[in-house]
Amino acid sequence: MGILFEDDNLALFRDGFLQTVGLSALSALFALLLGTVLAAFRVSPVPALRVFGTVWVQTFRNTPLTLLFFAVVFGLPRLDVRFDNFTFAVIALSAYTGSFVCEVLRAGINTVPLGQAEAARSLGMTFGQTLTHVILPQAARTVLPPMSSIFIALPRNSAIAGAFSVSELYGVQATLSDKGYAIFAIFFWVALAYLAISFAVGGVFRVLENRLAVVR
């Protein structure tokens, strides 16, 4: 259990932890933005946008994340799109997670009474104004619990990036294993780090739920 307290290992573990936090945070931000846009597409009155949103969601929700990493890391460079592996990991995680965010938001949008959208249109509001000022603020209250599950799972999903030369917690585990340390001790500290991140994300969503709760 004392492997973490050796100077070199502590620095390695710290860097891996911060890399996982950074990867998860950036992916969560882009997934939320992407998911919101896709949800708007899926409820849009424009058929082409609805088709695009549906195809995106069905494709990425049903593609294994590891396969998506392979497609991004090895496929995009063939199209002359070149980034470092960390950026590729953010792209893969954002595209994958964004499809789940979209479906959760769409479910929340469907819980808002149709009469509210009709009332907004009768006041002369456009579809975009109705969605951003009337529908989404109400939908956000209802989707926080399922949304928290998505973002709690995101740091664990980011472990796949370690297999693609991203120095996050999974990469720390692989490096320490190569040094010959006991696998149980390695997984204990790595699992503890993932738990800390998950509890932090869960805590943020609990605060949001309390602040946005509807007083009855």
Side-chain angles (χ1 to χ4, degrees):
M1 293 293 183
I3 61 170
L4 185 64
F5 300 103
E6 298 178 17
D7 289 342
D8 291 343
N9 294 343
L10 185 59
L12 178 67
F13 189 86
R14 180 199 63 219
D15 292 344
F17 180 83
L18 293 176
Q19 189 90 311
T20 295
V21 171
L23 177 59
S24 301
L26 281 174
S27 300
L29 174 61
F30 289 121
L32 184 59
L33 294 173
L34 175 62
T36 302
V37 171
L38 290 173
F41 283 2
R42 295 213 64 185
V43 299
S44 169
V46 181
L49 294 180
R50 291 201 304 272
V51 170
F52 178 86
T54 300
V55 170
W56 181 288
V57 169
Q58 293 302 320
T59 300
F60 285 93
R61 282 187 74 193
N62 294 293
T63 300
L65 184 53
T66 303
L67 180 60
L68 183 57
F69 263 89
F70 272 107
V72 169
V73 174
F74 299 111
L76 290 183
R78 291 180 177 272
L79 301 175
D80 207 28
V81 178
R82 303 187 183 279
F83 297 110
D84 56 54
N85 283 348
F86 180 88
T87 304
F88 279 138
V90 170
I91 293 172
L93 285 168
S94 300
Y96 180 79
T97 307
S99 64
F100 289 91
V101 170
C102 168
E103 288 301 274
V104 168
L105 277 177
R106 186 171 71 92
I109 289 170
N110 289 336
T111 65
V112 179
L114 184 60
Q116 301 210 21
E118 293 173 346
R121 284 196 294 270
S122 71
L123 293 174
M125 297 178 70
T126 65
F127 169 76
Q129 290 172 328
T130 300
L131 191 65
T132 55
H133 297 301
V134 178
I135 306 299
L136 281 179
Q138 297 181 71
R141 298 174 184 269
T142 65
V143 302
L144 282 175
M147 196 72 77
S148 68
S149 298
I150 293 173
F151 289 119
I152 286 172
L154 180 56
R156 297 195 296 272
N157 289 339
S158 72
I160 296 176
F164 293 88
S165 303
V166 178
S167 301
E168 45 72 74
L169 284 170
Y170 179 83
V172 172
Q173 173 267 321
T175 301
L176 294 177
S177 294
D178 290 342
K179 288 184 177 181
Y181 290 104
I183 195 69
F184 176 79
I186 297 170
F187 276 106
F188 172 82
W189 289 112
V190 171
L192 198 62
Y194 279 119
L195 280 174
I197 297 172
S198 297
F199 278 122
V201 174
V204 169
F205 274 92
R206 280 192 295 274
V207 170
L208 289 174
E209 287 179 41
N210 291 334
R211 287 185 174 230
L212 296 177
V214 177
V215 178
R216 300 185 184 279

